Amino acid sequence: MSKSENAYKTIGEVVKILDLKSKKEGQLPTHTLRYWEKEFKQIKPIKINNRRYYSIKQVEMIKLRKFLIKNEGMSILGVKNILNAKNYKLENINTYSLNAKYHKMNLKKRTRNILDK
């Protein structure tokens, strides 16, 4: 018997959905998800008998944060700033991350120029 797609997910199931990797073979990095809960106040799983259960909406929120942190290379603070912006729209993410990458490249170039002198 399998779970409905709309059923609440356990922390282990969410880690598998997100395809988070652990440095230790065979272990699920649930600590990452617990840390993100502390950092992003929007992630609020239901706790029953000290177990976490995530709704589909929660899982989608976590997927977005994972994408921005892991795929786009953004910091947690950067993700918070984007998601808390009043004019935040999902389609603006690439613009924000491109601007961040551009500024990071400029900083590297300026640092190199200073060191070369």
Side-chain angles (χ1 to χ4, degrees):
M1 186 164 114
S2 65
K3 263 185 166 177
S4 164
E5 281 196 28
N6 294 329
Y8 281 79
K9 308 292 183 205
T10 64
I11 192 168
E13 290 171 327
V14 174
V15 168
K16 286 178 184 176
I17 290 168
L18 296 174
D19 195 31
L20 291 174
K21 305 289 185 210
S22 177
K23 291 180 182 175
K24 294 180 181 178
E25 186 97 13
Q27 290 188 356
L28 294 175
T30 55
H31 62 277
T32 303
L33 204 46
R34 283 192 216 97
Y35 178 72
W36 288 350
E37 284 176 28
K38 289 178 187 173
E39 292 296 319
F40 300 107
K41 301 303 178 202
Q42 301 88 349
I43 302 172
K44 296 177 190 167
I46 295 172
K47 291 184 181 177
I48 301 172
N49 294 333
N50 217 16
R51 289 181 162 237
R52 291 167 164 82
Y53 295 96
Y54 301 84
S55 68
I56 296 301
K57 184 177 178 182
Q58 291 282 305
V59 173
E60 291 304 314
M61 276 198 265
I62 297 167
K63 281 182 183 178
L64 173 61
R65 284 148 181 81
K66 183 221 177 207
F67 172 78
L68 293 173
I69 293 167
K70 301 289 186 182
N71 296 45
E72 296 296 311
M74 296 182 73
S75 67
I76 288 179
L77 182 60
V79 173
K80 284 181 186 180
N81 289 339
I82 288 174
L83 298 179
N84 291 334
K86 290 182 181 177
N87 61 350
Y88 161 72
K89 290 183 183 156
L90 195 57
E91 54 270 10
N92 291 344
I93 288 173
N94 285 336
T95 306
Y96 284 115
S97 59
L98 286 175
N99 285 338
K101 286 178 186 175
Y102 173 76
H103 290 297
K104 196 183 289 183
M105 287 184 344
N106 265 349
L107 182 62
K108 284 181 182 178
K109 285 180 186 177
R110 286 185 299 205
T111 306
R112 242 185 266 127
N113 287 340
I114 293 169
L115 292 174
D116 289 342
K117 290 181 180 179

